[in-house]
Amino acid sequence: MHRFLIKTISFVLMSCLLILAIALIPGYMVNKFSKFSVKKDNTIALFGHSHSECAYNDTLIPKLTNLSHSAESYFYTFQKVKKYLSQNPQITTVLIEFSNNQIDTKMDDWTWGYTYMSNMFPQYASFMSLADFELLAKHNSKYFMNCVGIAARTNFIKALSFNYDYTGKTGGYFKIEGSRPLPSNNPAGKIIKAASNKSAISTTNIQYLRKIIDYCNGMHKSVFLIRSPQHPLYEYRNNEAEFSRIRERYFSDIKFLDFNNFPLKNDDFADFGHLNFKGALKFSAYINQRIMNGMLNTVNTASLSQPDNKTVSGN
Amino acid sequence: MLFNSFGFGIFLIVVFVLYWFVLNRKLQQQNLLLLTASYFFYACWDWRFLLLLIFSTLLDYFTGLKMYQAKTHSLKTFWLWLSISVNLGFLGVFKYYNFFAASLAGLCASIGIHLSPFTLNVILPVGISFYTFHGLSYVIDVYKNRIKAERNFIDYSLFVSFFPLLVAGPIERATHLLPQVKTKREFNYQEAINGLRQILWGLFKKAVIADQCADYANMIFANSSHYPGSTLVLGAIFFAFQIYCDFSGYSDMALGIAKLFGFELLRNFAFPYFSRDMAEFWRRWHISLSSWFRDYLYIPLGGSKTGTWLKVRNTLIIFLVSGFWHGANWTFIIWGLLNALFILPSILLKTNRNHLEIAAKGKAMPTFTEFMQMGATFLQVIFTWIFFRADSVTQAFKYIGRIFSRSLFSIPQLDVNKAQLLEVIILILCFIIVEWQGRENQYAIEKLSWLRKRGYRLTFYYTLVVVIFLFTGKEQQFIYFQF
């Protein structure tokens, strides 16, 4: 028995050391050598989820790089922001998509739900702090270890193939052709009623948005929150009151560019939350014009928040 | 509590320490500990069904005693049939009632009578098919005087409920396990190391191969109407590896865990995918169930020592019952029927015992003929798996219909990360090589005699650990838990 215990314990210890080495060394190398490049002329970086991913066609906005990624909560955006800003000093302005669904508890699932975590965590695990790990482990201990394994495998393969370039893999403009048929009214069951009460708010997502802002401020970047156009029937618009309250309470120091009601037609939308190619073309051209006209230099936040046309929701 | 979960690891360590360090002086205390641990393990699945398990145990324990004490044969027969009826009654209610009700309603509807049968809204108690068969083997063996009735309730209960085999087998026999329960166990270093090695291999099969294949098999079967025939073949192959590695991985872990406590359980798998015909396949796949049906159904029906038509009848019965044992669905019944049809020619031609030894025994590679035979058998097996995996008979036929179309010769299409798919294919190929190398042992890595130096073997074990860590994906339920 004595011999068995000694052999088993040494095997287990050796295995743990090996696993640690496999998990940490490639992770360290990825963190050290990873490359997050943005074109030298691009001074504006845009981060966010699928709304901004589909709304800003950055080929039409020369100074802007769209780094949004669908189903990305601020937790993962934060990791990305750190790397892009530290490696691209030419970025002077950071735009962060802030729209109605980003205060909802759905964002918690985007952060530690298995499907999302297993996709996003392996990408960004190398850049996370211990507190970030703790947060995920606390909320989804069951699958956190699985995701650590997947992350270790991802990093191991990156290290083996010397493939440290994240450029183009962490987001960008996403083109959607056509429109899904939009019903004349919002299906009642789809309305997230809970979004209007406090318990349905994702405090984690809000905290990480604050972290992103603080990090950008620490790097002396101009930060703007931006809301891209949403269809008037978009279900999450239901939480507008709560959304405004949170913005005023936690982010009143940050300029808010609100294009929620930007005038678009039904066939400019792929669905209630996303612009299609046609809509993105109109909106991006408009945004480019506003940037050229000094929108991001103005200090008058009130004027920034007002769209300059009335909404057209018909047709 | 899955074998491949962190919680089970802690549970196993606690029970092991108490078993060998605290209660190692008295056999009864050790048995009581194992029984308590087994009930705790079962209660972690669903504590409500623990009562059913205890009732089933009590029933077989008392009927065993009553049969042993019975003065007349008819009384003995009465107790036997009481136990069989109640055991199968429970199985019928929990597992088959809704199937029969729905089938009857379907049949009546086809002749214009519309029934709304009462259906039960209950979940299937985990492991019910396994522990029911443990109990049945015991009462039949007592009835046939193969074994004396067990007087010690703790020992008998442990035989039925021993946690490594409780929820998915192997299906043990009282003649094999009860004597081990009643004998003082001494710690055996070699056996314990062997057990750990088998657990490691089982874990690799389950967590790496089966769970990775599950993702692809599930995706392809769920969207089978959108894929070309070539992709559907790939889906069936993925499922073939999923189910083999899932179930044999579980069995390896069960056998390995039992070895840690000084028990030797029945072998459940013997490299079935290296079989050269279907008869050999069924001697190597789920051995404890096949041999159970052979001993308690096929032989009592006359077995193969009867006329041709009786042989055909017996073979059909045993495979249909085996299919039905797996689940209350027509897909399983057709799966059983197909296996019977594939195996019948060899039984009728008396070639069913042509391949008793493992393929290419003592040689490095199979002959061309053996290779072709193995390939043909594997194709038959994956064909039958389509019915086993499909949600309905209609889906299975549609799946097969799409396979046998022009699209069979197209390049497989799968909307997945190609690099990850390649990784899984490489893992499967490595797995086949290791299984082939170790096919003459109880499990593939038992001896690793192809790795001559100890250092190489240690490197192999550490590589397995690392691969398990790197490739463990989302924890998937063991397939056989549903049976």
Side-chain angles (χ1 to χ4, degrees):
Chain A
M1 179 60 91
H2 189 65
R3 192 172 153 214
F4 173 78
L5 287 180
I6 287 179
K7 283 217 166 189
T8 308
I9 291 168
S10 11
F11 184 81
V12 170
L13 284 178
M14 193 62 199
S15 299
C16 290
L17 281 177
L18 208 58
I19 285 171
L20 269 178
I22 294 277
L24 295 181
I25 296 172
Y28 170 78
M29 288 169 74
V30 168
N31 189 18
K32 190 169 168 63
F33 300 116
S34 59
K35 206 171 128 193
F36 290 78
S37 310
V38 168
K39 280 185 197 163
K40 290 278 175 236
D41 304 339
N42 291 5
T43 55
I44 307 163
L46 168 72
F47 297 92
H49 60 9
S50 57
H51 288 194
S52 47
E53 185 186 33
C54 299
Y56 301 85
N57 182 343
D58 52 7
T59 57
L60 302 173
I61 315 170
K63 284 186 171 181
L64 182 140
T65 298
N66 187 345
L67 296 167
S68 311
H69 191 285
S70 56
E72 185 179 275
S73 66
Y74 289 133
F75 177 84
Y76 298 105
T77 306
F78 176 53
Q79 321 302 335
K80 203 158 86 173
V81 166
K82 286 189 287 187
K83 297 308 281 188
Y84 272 109
L85 294 195
S86 62
Q87 293 187 16
N88 297 278
Q90 79 275 22
I91 296 174
T92 53
T93 308
V94 175
L95 306 180
I96 307 163
E97 171 77 13
F98 184 53
S99 58
N100 299 61
N101 70 350
Q102 283 166 303
I103 63 165
D104 191 83
T105 43
K106 181 172 127 177
M107 294 300 120
D108 292 343
D109 189 43
W110 286 19
T111 305
W112 53 73
Y114 178 76
T115 310
Y116 297 98
M117 186 163 67
S118 63
N119 265 322
M120 305 300 272
F121 179 78
Q123 282 271 47
Y124 300 111
S126 310
F127 320 125
M128 289 180 188
S129 67
L130 265 180
D132 297 332
F133 285 126
E134 271 172 26
L135 179 94
L136 296 180
K138 186 177 137 197
H139 287 98
N140 193 350
S141 55
K142 187 175 176 188
Y143 289 125
F144 176 68
M145 278 313 290
N146 285 141
C147 292
V148 170
I150 299 171
R153 185 167 95 219
T154 309
N155 288 337
F156 189 68
I157 291 166
K158 274 186 204 289
L160 272 185
S161 54
F162 298 101
N163 179 10
Y164 300 114
D165 196 353
Y166 278 74
T167 312
K169 296 171 190 164
T170 54
Y173 168 64
F174 186 74
K175 176 181 170 184
I176 307 179
E177 293 282 10
S179 282
R180 282 183 217 158
L182 300 172
S184 56
N185 57 15
N186 198 7
K190 289 269 181 184
I191 295 173
I192 309 296
K193 289 176 183 161
S196 58
N197 70 49
K198 284 178 185 172
S199 64
I201 301 300
S202 170
T203 49
T204 303
N205 214 40
I206 294 164
Q207 281 165 5
Y208 270 86
L209 175 57
R210 190 67 244 177
K211 278 193 177 194
I212 295 171
I213 292 166
D214 293 344
Y215 182 83
C216 293
N217 286 337
M219 298 284 282
H220 308 294
K221 311 289 179 189
S222 304
V223 187
F224 296 84
L225 296 180
I226 189 162
R227 178 157 65 167
S228 45
Q230 301 176 119
H231 194 278
L233 298 178
Y234 180 55
E235 59 196 82
Y236 283 96
R237 288 179 75 142
N238 218 31
N239 69 3
E240 187 61 28
E242 189 66 16
F243 178 80
S244 301
R245 190 190 68 79
I246 285 172
R247 188 175 64 78
E248 276 157 27
R249 179 163 177 197
Y250 299 106
F251 308 111
S252 56
D253 56 326
I254 302 299
K255 293 162 197 166
F256 182 52
L257 311 175
D258 191 2
F259 300 101
N260 192 27
N261 295 322
F262 182 77
L264 289 166
K265 295 176 180 174
N266 269 347
D267 60 4
D268 293 323
F269 285 90
D271 57 32
F272 289 140
H274 305 97
L275 299 193
N276 61 18
F277 180 62
K278 194 177 157 205
L281 217 58
K282 286 185 190 171
F283 182 60
S284 302
Y286 170 78
I287 287 292
N288 185 44
Q289 197 56 50
R290 290 291 304 268
I291 290 173
M292 302 292 276
N293 291 343
M295 171 178 75
L296 301 177
N297 303 327
T298 181
V299 287
N300 185 349
T301 54
S303 69
L304 294 173
S305 301
Q306 298 299 321
D308 46 8
N309 287 304
K310 285 187 178 174
T311 304
V312 179
S313 61
N315 306 323
Chain B
M1 197 157 43
L2 296 173
F3 280 179
N4 55 333
S5 64
F6 186 70
F8 182 78
I10 302 291
F11 165 81
L12 187 62
I13 292 169
V14 171
V15 178
F16 182 85
V17 169
L18 290 174
Y19 184 82
W20 288 117
F21 293 98
V22 182
L23 305 170
N24 54 337
R25 287 169 198 253
K26 286 194 174 172
L27 178 67
Q28 273 309 298
Q29 287 182 353
Q30 280 187 323
N31 285 352
L32 188 61
L33 168 75
L34 287 182
L35 181 64
T36 311
S38 300
Y39 282 163
F40 173 77
F41 174 77
Y42 194 76
C44 287
W45 293 100
D46 195 327
W47 63 269
R48 292 166 301 177
F49 292 127
L50 189 57
L51 294 176
L52 188 68
L53 172 65
I54 293 170
F55 178 81
S56 174
T57 308
L58 277 167
L59 172 79
D60 295 332
Y61 171 73
F62 281 113
T63 49
L65 282 177
K66 289 286 179 193
M67 271 193 286
Y68 195 62
Q69 293 158 356
K71 298 269 190 282
T72 62
H73 185 70
S74 55
L75 194 58
K76 198 174 176 183
T77 310
F78 165 78
W79 288 113
L80 171 73
W81 282 105
L82 178 75
S83 168
I84 291 177
S85 313
V86 176
N87 273 308
L88 293 183
F90 277 132
L91 205 54
V93 168
F94 283 103
K95 194 166 175 174
Y96 300 110
Y97 174 79
N98 286 348
F99 169 74
F100 281 123
S103 297
L104 180 70
L107 187 70
C108 290
S110 67
I111 53 170
I113 304 167
H114 294 282
L115 297 177
S116 308
F118 169 74
T119 52
L120 295 173
N121 189 20
V122 289
I123 50 166
L124 184 68
V126 67
I128 188 169
S129 304
F130 292 93
Y131 67 72
T132 301
F133 272 42
H134 286 158
L136 285 178
S137 85
Y138 167 76
V139 290
I140 296 171
D141 283 348
V142 172
Y143 178 78
K144 297 258 183 192
N145 295 321
R146 289 179 192 141
I147 191 170
K148 287 181 181 175
E150 178 53 54
R151 290 181 183 280
N152 186 319
F153 181 69
I154 304 290
D155 290 356
Y156 175 73
S157 306
L158 181 58
F159 152 69
V160 176
S161 318
F162 186 33
F163 70 87
L165 51 80
L166 180 56
V167 290
I171 299 168
E172 269 296 337
R173 310 293 183 80
T175 46
H176 182 249
L177 189 58
L178 256 177
Q180 295 184 59
V181 171
K182 299 191 74 64
T183 311
K184 172 86 179 148
R185 273 99 48 191
E186 296 293 338
F187 183 80
N188 181 317
Y189 170 78
Q190 289 300 342
E191 274 306 292
I193 290 287
N194 195 14
L196 285 182
R197 202 183 290 129
Q198 196 162 6
I199 294 170
L200 182 65
W201 185 237
L203 194 58
F204 168 77
K205 284 204 264 188
K206 166 62 185 158
V208 178
I209 305 287
D211 287 356
Q212 294 283 337
C213 286
D215 287 339
Y216 296 107
N218 291 345
M219 183 196 301
I220 294 170
F221 272 87
N223 304 293
S224 56
S225 55
H226 304 301
Y227 288 121
S230 51
T231 308
L232 299 187
V233 171
L234 200 62
I237 294 173
F238 275 126
F239 181 68
F241 281 100
Q242 181 199 348
I243 191 165
Y244 171 56
C245 292
D246 187 281
F247 193 20
S248 73
Y250 176 88
S251 295
D252 278 336
M253 283 188 263
L255 267 72
I257 292 162
K259 278 175 187 157
L260 292 178
F261 295 97
F263 289 91
E264 185 72 44
L265 300 184
L266 289 172
R267 192 184 186 190
N268 226 8
F269 289 89
F271 310 99
Y273 288 161
F274 298 140
S275 301
R276 286 150 292 178
D277 59 38
M278 287 302 279
E280 186 187 4
F281 175 80
W282 276 104
R283 278 193 299 276
R284 298 181 176 280
W285 179 274
H286 202 174
I287 301 166
S288 65
L289 180 71
S290 312
S291 60
W292 197 101
F293 278 125
R294 182 196 63 208
D295 294 346
Y296 298 108
L297 189 62
Y298 188 66
I299 292 174
L301 285 170
S304 53
K305 291 176 182 168
T306 53
T308 307
W309 289 111
L310 280 178
K311 259 189 227 172
V312 173
R313 184 202 68 176
N314 295 347
T315 307
L316 281 172
I317 288 175
I318 195 174
F319 276 102
L320 286 175
V321 172
S322 170
F324 202 46
W325 177 89
H326 281 86
N329 194 326
W330 287 103
T331 52
F332 293 116
I333 294 172
I334 294 179
W335 171 76
L337 181 69
L338 276 176
N339 276 290
L341 294 178
F342 286 149
I343 210 171
L344 268 175
S346 64
I347 290 178
L348 294 174
L349 295 169
K350 295 185 177 166
T351 58
N352 57 320
R353 296 184 69 78
N354 274 3
H355 303 298
L356 295 178
E357 297 283 2
I358 188 75
K361 190 175 182 192
K363 295 178 201 162
M365 297 298 283
T367 62
F368 179 71
T369 313
E370 283 177 321
F371 184 76
M372 295 307 285
Q373 286 171 335
M374 285 190 280
T377 309
F378 185 66
L379 284 179
Q380 289 177 67
V381 171
I382 60 170
F383 183 78
T384 64
W385 285 141
I386 293 171
F387 283 91
F388 195 96
R389 173 61 180 78
D391 297 326
S392 66
V393 177
T394 315
Q395 194 207 359
F397 279 116
K398 280 185 181 168
Y399 195 102
I400 291 164
R402 288 185 72 85
I403 286 181
F404 292 107
S405 65
R406 244 186 240 172
S407 62
L408 176 63
F409 303 101
S410 62
I411 294 169
Q413 292 165 10
L414 210 49
D415 188 21
V416 293
N417 183 324
K418 298 286 182 291
Q420 281 178 8
L421 179 63
L422 186 66
E423 283 167 23
V424 175
I425 292 172
I426 290 171
L427 281 170
I428 292 173
L429 290 176
C430 293
F431 166 72
I432 294 171
I433 292 170
V434 175
E435 285 262 301
W436 178 259
Q437 293 290 350
R439 71 194 180 284
E440 292 180 34
N441 302 304
Q442 291 289 306
Y443 60 96
I445 64 163
E446 186 183 16
K447 292 190 178 133
L448 285 182
S449 46
W450 49 286
L451 295 173
R452 302 247 162 95
K453 292 186 179 169
R454 188 174 169 270
Y456 293 162
R457 290 197 290 275
L458 262 181
T459 309
F460 180 86
Y461 300 138
Y462 284 123
T463 309
L464 273 187
V465 171
V466 169
V467 170
I468 290 169
F469 168 69
L470 292 179
F471 283 89
T472 297
K474 190 177 185 182
E475 214 169 64
Q476 312 249 7
Q477 182 79 286
F478 285 93
I479 293 175
Y480 266 68
F481 283 4
Q482 64 185 294
F483 306 138

